[in-house]
Amino acid sequence: MTYKIEICANSVASCIEAQKGGAYRVELCAGIPEGGTTPSYGDIALARELLTKTKLNVIIRPRGGDFLYSDLEQKIMLKDIEMCRKLGIDGVVIGCLTPDGDVDMQRNKELVEAAGNMNITFHRAFDMCRDPFESLENIVSLGCKILLTSGQQPKAEQGIELLKQLVQKADNRITIMPGSGVNETNIAKIAQETGAHEFHLSARESIESQMTYRNPNLKMGATNVVINEFSQDITSARKVKNTLVKLQKVSH
Protein backbone atom coordinates (compact mmCIF):
# COMPACT_ATOMS: atom_id res chain seq x y z
CA MET A 1 0.00 0.00 0.00
CA THR A 2 1.19 3.51 -0.83
CA TYR A 3 0.64 5.96 2.00
CA LYS A 4 0.14 9.67 1.34
CA ILE A 5 0.31 12.70 3.61
CA GLU A 6 -1.66 15.90 3.13
CA ILE A 7 -0.45 18.89 5.12
CA CYS A 8 -2.92 21.45 6.41
CA ALA A 9 -0.86 24.51 5.44
CA ASN A 10 -1.66 27.82 7.15
CA SER A 11 0.65 29.88 4.93
CA VAL A 12 2.81 29.81 1.82
CA ALA A 13 5.80 29.25 4.13
CA SER A 14 4.11 26.09 5.44
CA CYS A 15 3.44 24.97 1.85
CA ILE A 16 7.16 25.26 1.05
CA GLU A 17 8.11 23.27 4.16
CA ALA A 18 5.52 20.61 3.34
CA GLN A 19 7.01 20.18 -0.11
CA LYS A 20 10.55 19.97 1.31
CA GLY A 21 9.39 17.26 3.70
CA GLY A 22 7.89 15.13 0.95
CA ALA A 23 4.16 15.75 1.44
CA TYR A 24 1.99 14.46 -1.39
CA ARG A 25 -0.47 17.36 -1.12
CA VAL A 26 -1.23 20.48 0.89
CA GLU A 27 -4.58 21.98 1.83
CA LEU A 28 -4.02 25.73 2.00
CA CYS A 29 -6.16 27.46 4.65
CA ALA A 30 -6.41 30.76 6.47
CA GLY A 31 -8.20 31.16 9.81
CA ILE A 32 -6.85 28.00 11.42
CA PRO A 33 -8.25 28.85 14.92
CA GLU A 34 -11.71 28.85 13.26
CA GLY A 35 -11.15 25.48 11.61
CA GLY A 36 -9.88 26.91 8.32
CA THR A 37 -11.22 29.53 5.90
CA THR A 38 -10.44 30.45 2.30
CA PRO A 39 -6.97 32.05 1.99
CA SER A 40 -6.20 35.22 0.04
CA TYR A 41 -5.67 35.41 -3.71
CA GLY A 42 -2.01 36.23 -3.10
CA ASP A 43 -1.48 33.16 -0.92
CA ILE A 44 -3.18 30.87 -3.43
CA ALA A 45 -1.41 32.31 -6.49
CA LEU A 46 2.07 32.22 -4.93
CA ALA A 47 1.57 28.73 -3.51
CA ARG A 48 0.60 27.59 -7.02
CA GLU A 49 3.83 29.07 -8.42
CA LEU A 50 6.07 27.51 -5.76
CA LEU A 51 4.55 24.04 -5.39
CA THR A 52 6.12 22.16 -8.27
CA LYS A 53 6.21 18.67 -6.72
CA THR A 54 3.34 18.80 -4.23
CA LYS A 55 -0.34 19.00 -5.17
CA LEU A 56 -2.28 22.05 -4.00
CA ASN A 57 -5.82 22.00 -2.64
CA VAL A 58 -7.61 25.09 -1.32
CA ILE A 59 -10.37 25.18 1.29
CA ILE A 60 -13.54 26.93 0.15
CA ARG A 61 -15.09 28.24 3.35
CA PRO A 62 -16.13 31.88 3.64
CA ARG A 63 -16.25 32.03 7.46
CA GLY A 64 -15.83 30.05 10.65
CA GLY A 65 -18.75 28.64 12.60
CA ASP A 66 -21.32 26.23 11.21
CA PHE A 67 -21.66 24.85 7.69
CA LEU A 68 -25.14 26.20 6.94
CA TYR A 69 -24.57 28.81 4.27
CA SER A 70 -26.72 31.63 2.90
CA ASP A 71 -27.32 32.36 -0.78
CA LEU A 72 -24.79 35.19 -0.52
CA GLU A 73 -22.15 32.91 1.01
CA GLN A 74 -22.82 30.35 -1.73
CA LYS A 75 -22.07 33.02 -4.35
CA ILE A 76 -18.81 33.84 -2.55
CA MET A 77 -17.78 30.17 -2.60
CA LEU A 78 -18.60 29.88 -6.30
CA LYS A 79 -16.43 32.95 -7.02
CA ASP A 80 -13.54 31.48 -4.98
CA ILE A 81 -13.79 28.20 -6.91
CA GLU A 82 -13.76 30.14 -10.19
CA MET A 83 -10.56 31.88 -9.03
CA CYS A 84 -8.96 28.54 -8.12
CA ARG A 85 -9.80 27.10 -11.53
CA LYS A 86 -8.18 30.06 -13.28
CA LEU A 87 -5.04 29.66 -11.15
CA GLY A 88 -4.74 25.96 -11.99
CA ILE A 89 -5.30 24.64 -8.46
CA ASP A 90 -5.41 20.82 -8.22
CA GLY A 91 -8.43 20.56 -5.94
CA VAL A 92 -10.90 22.34 -3.69
CA VAL A 93 -12.19 21.37 -0.27
CA ILE A 94 -15.91 21.92 0.38
CA GLY A 95 -18.75 21.04 2.73
CA CYS A 96 -22.28 22.43 3.11
CA LEU A 97 -24.91 21.08 5.51
CA THR A 98 -28.66 21.46 5.93
CA PRO A 99 -30.21 22.75 9.19
CA ASP A 100 -30.97 19.11 10.13
CA GLY A 101 -27.32 18.03 9.94
CA ASP A 102 -27.47 16.34 6.55
CA VAL A 103 -25.30 16.91 3.48
CA ASP A 104 -26.82 19.79 1.49
CA MET A 105 -27.01 18.07 -1.89
CA GLN A 106 -28.06 21.14 -3.88
CA ARG A 107 -25.41 23.55 -2.60
CA ASN A 108 -22.61 20.97 -2.77
CA LYS A 109 -23.68 19.92 -6.27
CA GLU A 110 -23.35 23.52 -7.44
CA LEU A 111 -19.84 23.74 -5.96
CA VAL A 112 -18.80 20.42 -7.50
CA GLU A 113 -20.05 21.51 -10.92
CA ALA A 114 -18.21 24.84 -10.61
CA ALA A 115 -14.97 22.97 -9.84
CA GLY A 116 -14.93 21.25 -13.23
CA ASN A 117 -11.95 18.89 -13.45
CA MET A 118 -10.49 19.81 -10.06
CA ASN A 119 -10.48 17.10 -7.40
CA ILE A 120 -13.04 17.51 -4.63
CA THR A 121 -12.48 16.82 -0.95
CA PHE A 122 -15.43 16.96 1.47
CA HIS A 123 -14.06 18.43 4.70
CA ARG A 124 -14.88 17.94 8.36
CA ALA A 125 -18.37 19.39 7.99
CA PHE A 126 -18.95 15.62 7.77
CA ASP A 127 -18.08 15.35 11.46
CA MET A 128 -21.09 17.54 12.24
CA CYS A 129 -23.47 15.29 10.28
CA ARG A 130 -26.38 13.52 11.98
CA ASP A 131 -25.90 10.14 10.26
CA PRO A 132 -22.33 9.34 9.16
CA PHE A 133 -23.20 6.41 6.90
CA GLU A 134 -26.06 8.11 5.06
CA SER A 135 -23.83 11.17 4.68
CA LEU A 136 -21.02 9.02 3.30
CA GLU A 137 -23.30 7.72 0.56
CA ASN A 138 -24.45 11.23 -0.31
CA ILE A 139 -20.87 12.48 -0.50
CA VAL A 140 -19.90 9.57 -2.76
CA SER A 141 -22.87 10.33 -5.03
CA LEU A 142 -21.72 13.96 -5.37
CA GLY A 143 -18.48 12.73 -6.95
CA CYS A 144 -16.12 13.74 -4.13
CA LYS A 145 -12.79 11.91 -4.26
CA ILE A 146 -11.74 12.31 -0.61
CA LEU A 147 -13.54 12.56 2.72
CA LEU A 148 -11.59 14.29 5.51
CA THR A 149 -12.87 13.20 8.90
CA SER A 150 -11.87 12.69 12.52
CA GLY A 151 -14.46 9.93 12.88
CA GLN A 152 -16.87 12.46 14.43
CA GLN A 153 -14.61 12.85 17.46
CA PRO A 154 -12.41 15.81 18.50
CA LYS A 155 -9.31 13.87 17.42
CA ALA A 156 -8.88 11.14 14.80
CA GLU A 157 -7.26 8.80 17.32
CA GLN A 158 -10.49 8.93 19.35
CA GLY A 159 -12.52 8.24 16.20
CA ILE A 160 -10.65 5.11 15.11
CA GLU A 161 -13.68 2.80 15.37
CA LEU A 162 -15.89 4.91 13.09
CA LEU A 163 -12.96 5.63 10.75
CA LYS A 164 -12.44 1.89 10.33
CA GLN A 165 -16.14 1.40 9.52
CA LEU A 166 -16.07 4.28 7.03
CA VAL A 167 -13.03 2.83 5.24
CA GLN A 168 -14.84 -0.51 4.94
CA LYS A 169 -18.13 1.02 3.76
CA ALA A 170 -16.37 3.34 1.32
CA ASP A 171 -14.92 0.22 -0.36
CA ASN A 172 -12.50 2.30 -2.47
CA ARG A 173 -15.31 4.44 -3.93
CA ILE A 174 -13.88 7.42 -2.03
CA THR A 175 -10.70 7.89 0.02
CA ILE A 176 -11.30 8.20 3.76
CA MET A 177 -8.60 10.55 5.08
CA PRO A 178 -8.26 10.74 8.89
CA GLY A 179 -7.41 14.21 10.19
CA SER A 180 -7.29 16.20 13.47
CA GLY A 181 -4.56 15.47 15.95
CA VAL A 182 -2.67 13.16 13.56
CA ASN A 183 1.07 13.34 14.16
CA GLU A 184 4.29 11.34 13.99
CA THR A 185 3.56 9.60 17.31
CA ASN A 186 0.13 8.19 16.44
CA ILE A 187 -0.04 7.97 12.64
CA ALA A 188 1.18 4.35 12.52
CA LYS A 189 -1.49 3.28 15.01
CA ILE A 190 -4.24 5.11 13.09
CA ALA A 191 -3.06 3.57 9.81
CA GLN A 192 -2.95 0.03 11.22
CA GLU A 193 -6.30 0.19 13.02
CA THR A 194 -8.38 2.02 10.39
CA GLY A 195 -6.98 0.70 7.10
CA ALA A 196 -6.73 4.28 5.79
CA HIS A 197 -3.86 5.17 3.45
CA GLU A 198 -4.09 8.99 3.29
CA PHE A 199 -3.68 11.23 6.32
CA HIS A 200 -4.19 14.94 7.06
CA LEU A 201 -1.95 16.73 9.56
CA SER A 202 -0.26 20.06 10.17
CA ALA A 203 3.27 19.10 11.42
CA ARG A 204 3.76 22.64 12.70
CA GLU A 205 6.16 24.10 15.21
CA SER A 206 6.20 27.52 16.82
CA ILE A 207 8.62 30.12 15.42
CA GLU A 208 9.36 33.13 17.60
CA SER A 209 8.74 36.62 16.20
CA GLN A 210 11.75 38.79 15.31
CA MET A 211 10.10 41.86 16.87
CA THR A 212 12.28 43.38 19.60
CA TYR A 213 9.79 46.08 20.66
CA ARG A 214 6.51 44.61 21.93
CA ASN A 215 3.76 46.90 23.23
CA PRO A 216 2.67 45.27 26.51
CA ASN A 217 -0.61 47.21 26.71
CA LEU A 218 -2.27 46.10 23.51
CA LYS A 219 -3.43 43.03 21.61
CA MET A 220 -4.71 43.17 18.04
CA GLY A 221 -6.97 40.14 18.39
CA ALA A 222 -10.06 39.54 20.48
CA THR A 223 -9.47 39.41 24.24
CA ASN A 224 -11.40 36.14 24.66
CA VAL A 225 -9.16 34.29 22.17
CA VAL A 226 -5.72 33.43 23.50
CA ILE A 227 -3.25 33.91 20.65
CA ASN A 228 0.47 34.55 21.00
CA GLU A 229 0.93 37.45 18.61
CA PHE A 230 4.71 37.18 18.75
CA SER A 231 5.08 33.70 17.31
CA GLN A 232 4.02 31.87 14.16
CA ASP A 233 3.13 28.21 13.78
CA ILE A 234 4.76 26.96 10.58
CA THR A 235 4.91 23.45 9.15
CA SER A 236 8.28 21.79 9.69
CA ALA A 237 9.86 19.80 6.84
CA ARG A 238 11.61 17.71 9.50
CA LYS A 239 8.31 16.76 11.12
CA VAL A 240 6.81 15.86 7.74
CA LYS A 241 9.79 13.62 6.94
CA ASN A 242 9.65 11.96 10.37
CA THR A 243 5.94 11.23 9.95
CA LEU A 244 6.53 9.66 6.54
CA VAL A 245 9.25 7.47 8.03
CA LYS A 246 6.83 6.26 10.70
CA LEU A 247 4.22 5.46 8.04
CA GLN A 248 6.69 3.52 5.89
CA LYS A 249 7.29 1.16 8.83
CA VAL A 250 3.62 0.17 9.03
CA SER A 251 3.14 -3.45 8.02
CA HIS A 252 0.85 -3.73 4.99
Side-chain angles (χ1 to χ4, degrees):
M1 182 185 290
T2 302
Y3 290 109
K4 295 176 181 176
I5 283 180
E6 174 182 278
I7 295 297
C8 176
N10 59 346
S11 63
V12 178
S14 286
C15 288
I16 294 167
E17 287 293 303
Q19 182 167 255
K20 282 182 190 173
Y24 175 76
R25 180 175 57 240
V26 301
E27 180 199 14
L28 182 58
C29 306
I32 296 296
E34 296 177 278
T37 54
T38 305
S40 75
Y41 176 89
D43 279 327
I44 298 168
L46 191 56
R48 178 66 294 170
E49 287 178 29
L50 297 175
L51 290 180
T52 56
K53 300 175 185 175
T54 299
K55 291 188 179 297
L56 173 61
N57 282 5
V58 172
I59 192 169
I60 305 298
R61 188 175 178 226
R63 57 165 173 80
D66 64 30
F67 302 99
L68 178 63
Y69 296 113
S70 67
D71 290 344
L72 181 60
E73 288 168 331
Q74 180 76 349
K75 289 177 182 176
I76 292 168
M77 291 190 285
L78 289 167
K79 285 288 186 185
D80 283 335
I81 289 174
E82 181 185 335
M83 169 187 67
C84 288
R85 278 185 72 174
K86 288 177 179 175
L87 287 172
I89 303 309
D90 296 299
V92 290
V93 184
I94 66 169
C96 307
L97 302 184
T98 68
D100 296 326
D102 295 318
V103 174
D104 187 326
M105 298 302 286
Q106 184 56 43
R107 288 215 191 279
N108 287 303
K109 187 170 180 285
E110 288 177 9
L111 299 181
V112 169
E113 288 174 354
N117 294 327
M118 288 191 288
N119 285 327
I120 309 290
T121 297
F122 197 96
H123 58 48
R124 289 188 62 220
F126 172 84
D127 291 323
M128 295 296 191
C129 284
R130 175 184 54 79
D131 184 327
F133 301 115
E134 179 185 304
S135 297
L136 171 65
E137 295 306 321
N138 285 332
I139 291 165
V140 169
S141 74
L142 284 166
C144 299
K145 300 297 184 187
I146 299 170
L147 172 57
L148 169 61
T149 171
S150 59
Q152 297 201 332
Q153 296 294 325
K155 302 295 180 186
E157 193 170 1
Q158 298 167 289
I160 280 174
E161 186 52 43
L162 179 55
L163 287 166
K164 180 180 178 180
Q165 293 177 55
L166 290 168
V167 169
Q168 292 168 348
K169 288 187 181 295
D171 195 24
N172 296 318
R173 294 174 297 156
I174 187 171
T175 297
I176 304 299
M177 181 169 63
S180 184
V182 177
N183 57 55
E184 59 193 283
T185 67
N186 63 16
I187 196 165
K189 175 186 176 183
I190 295 169
Q192 286 171 325
E193 295 189 16
T194 64
H197 61 270
E198 293 197 24
F199 303 89
H200 175 93
L201 59 148
S202 61
R204 292 187 206 111
E205 58 187 13
S206 186
I207 307 297
E208 186 69 11
S209 167
Q210 297 301 301
M211 288 291 295
T212 50
Y213 172 72
R214 303 181 181 190
N215 186 342
N217 303 312
L218 183 65
K219 278 190 173 294
M220 300 305 295
T223 55
N224 59 338
V225 179
V226 180
I227 295 174
N228 183 349
E229 295 179 343
F230 292 101
S231 73
Q232 291 184 63
D233 289 335
I234 298 176
T235 295
S236 156
R238 174 186 53 78
K239 284 191 171 187
V240 176
K241 285 177 185 173
N242 288 348
T243 307
L244 281 167
V245 167
K246 293 288 176 65
L247 259 184
Q248 285 159 3
K249 292 179 180 178
V250 174
S251 57
H252 293 179

